[in-house]
Amino acid sequence: HQLSEKLLMENMMDADDDDEIVRQDATTDSATKETGMEASADGMVEDKTSASASAQQNPPFPPSLLGNASPLAKLVFSWPFSLLKIGMERPLTELDLPEILDVDTSKHQRTYFENLWEKELERSPEKPNLHRALSIDYFKSTWKVQPLLFLGNSATIIQAVALGNLIESFETGNDEGYFWAGILVACGVVVLFEHHHVFFMTWRKGMQMRISCVGAIYTKSLKLSSTHQETNSNTGRIMNLASNDVDRFLLAALFVNYIFWSPVQAIAILVVGWWIMGPAFAAGFALLFLIFMPFQFYLSNKFAFFRSKIAAITDRRVTFVSQAVHGARIMKMSGFEWRFLDRIQDIRKEEVDQIQKANRLKAANEALFFATNVVISMVVFLVHVLWFEGTLYPRDIFTVFTLVNILQLQMTKHVSLGIMGVSEAYVSIGRIQKHLESPEQHFTESTDDALGDKVAISMEDVCSQWNH
């Protein structure tokens, strides 16, 4: 009986062990399945994370607004409205900025500038002229501006005549007032579109020239020889070229066309003014060209002179500050910081003195601009009344005032800015050309076949150190 009970207990224990093993296997299988599901879920999360990371590295920018704009949107400048609308609702982020056209990218402009420089070197290897290359490229690229400027200049003169006739129609009470009012409005619309499109095209070309020069300066800097006496320690000059000199293209690109079109318009204004006021208008015109214009040419030459001096002093200052920053440890160990500070302050004082002189000339140029129309109009009216004993009519006064204002804006503002911009850009282009003509490092390529089986590096009289 005890033996049977013992066998029965052993069988029951074996059955319990088998059930436990089955339960453990089922638990293991379920755990394995759950682990597999978690692993797959983690894999999906990792895939999503990697996709989002790649999307963050290459964020999707909106397409170019200018490239996808319709002709009407380009005409009325409505293509940037979507970006401006976002800016009015919230602060703009990087992802809000649209893509730019390929022609405006730095890569395209750098390649374009390098091709221009290579063609100029092929044309004249001994005496290349970067001024010539950039000038020809500018006028070829902006030829559409010339007919627009002709239309704008013609419309302003017609507008002045229409204003005088409109004033006369108010006095006489005839029905021609509606006609002259329509001419006045139509000319205003022409001037409006001409002004904005001309400034947009020329400003964009100036930006492209600036970007191309910065890229060319950077590419040339990577090839310079660090041991040549002309390129050694020229960090300040390179920084000044890429940050200060290239900005001169913007002003020059905007107003260089007015150097030609403003005198042409001035001749047309002289003809119309002589037809309205007689020889008295020529007196004010002569005052402009005999006194005001020569003074402006004098100021323009001074602008170029001070630009050259300021650029040279800025190169010295930036180079000296760069050397002081790089050698700060040695400078402090030797106790030379106060000597360096005095020298930097002396150079900066010299630079500020030249900047103040240039600013005084700019202030005189602005004062000349605001005084020209009053002086010329007063001379025209006094000569007409006192010398020729003429009579002033409202039609003549309004027309002459408008013509003199146009003459003032063109000759004392646009021409002066054009001459100042061109003179400063001329100096900057010369400095950039000097940088492009700097000697480069010569790299020699050798292969294992040329050296034979024994390839080794042999050095003599070498002094080297770790660069921390």
Side-chain angles (χ1 to χ4, degrees), residues 414-426:
H414 290 170
V415 171
S416 63
L417 289 176
I419 295 175
M420 181 178 66
V422 169
S423 60
E424 292 182 349
Y426 186 87

Side-chain angles (χ1 to χ4, degrees), residues 464-468:
S464 61
Q465 62 180 359
W466 290 106
N467 186 15
H468 296 285

Side-chain angles (χ1 to χ4, degrees), residues 160-282:
V161 177
L163 178 62
N165 291 327
L166 179 63
I167 297 298
E168 186 180 14
S169 67
F170 293 155
E171 293 180 341
T172 59
N174 55 25
D175 296 334
E176 295 181 357
Y178 294 100
F179 172 76
W180 293 113
I183 296 294
L184 194 66
V185 173
C187 291
V189 173
V190 172
V191 172
L192 174 67
F193 283 98
E194 174 269 333
H195 177 78
H196 288 87
H197 281 279
V198 166
F199 269 63
F200 176 74
M201 287 187 286
T202 53
W203 181 271
R204 184 183 180 190
K205 182 59 181 178
M207 288 293 297
Q208 291 175 352
M209 296 174 67
R210 173 188 176 185
I211 294 170
S212 62
C213 288
V214 171
I217 291 170
Y218 177 75
T219 304
K220 180 67 177 183
S221 301
L222 300 178
K223 303 176 183 179
L224 291 177
S225 174
S226 60
T227 58
H228 197 274
Q229 60 180 358
E230 294 183 1
T231 59
N232 189 22
S233 301
N234 62 352
T235 306
R237 181 168 62 88
I238 296 174
M239 293 175 60
N240 196 20
L241 286 174
S243 61
N244 195 3
D245 286 83
V246 294
D247 286 337
R248 310 303 164 183
F249 291 110
L250 300 177
L251 185 65
L254 279 177
F255 296 102
V256 64
N257 297 288
Y258 291 98
I259 297 177
F260 169 76
W261 284 107
S262 293
V264 173
Q265 189 181 25
I267 295 175
I269 290 175
L270 175 61
V271 174
V272 175
W274 190 292
W275 171 61
I276 294 174
M277 294 291 296
F281 191 84

Side-chain angles (χ1 to χ4, degrees), residues 106-120 130 133-134 137 208-217 249 429 432-433 436:
S106 58
K107 180 180 179 181
H108 179 275
Q109 290 300 322
R110 177 180 59 83
T111 306
Y112 186 80
F113 182 88
E114 290 177 352
N115 292 333
L116 284 178
W117 179 238
E118 290 176 0
K119 291 179 181 179
E120 183 63 23
L130 185 60
L134 291 179
D137 175 71
Q208 291 175 352
M209 296 174 67
R210 173 188 176 185
I211 294 170
S212 62
C213 288
V214 171
I217 291 170
F249 291 110
I429 292 173
I432 294 173
Q433 179 176 348
L436 295 177

Side-chain angles (χ1 to χ4, degrees), residues 15 31 92 216 226 256 266-267 278 302 333 365 436 449 454 460:
L92 293 175
S226 60
V256 64
I267 295 175
K302 282 295 183 179
M333 290 176 59
N365 192 19
L436 295 177
D449 297 335
K454 297 181 180 180
E460 295 180 359

Side-chain angles (χ1 to χ4, degrees), residues 291-328:
I291 296 179
F292 290 105
M293 291 298 297
F295 185 61
Q296 282 191 335
F297 281 109
Y298 169 77
L299 293 179
S300 300
N301 293 330
K302 282 295 183 179
F303 288 148
F305 172 73
F306 284 116
R307 172 64 195 146
S308 301
K309 293 192 67 175
I310 292 171
I313 298 173
T314 304
D315 289 344
R316 288 169 46 203
R317 178 179 59 82
V318 176
T319 301
F320 199 77
V321 171
S322 178
Q323 293 175 354
V325 171
H326 287 295

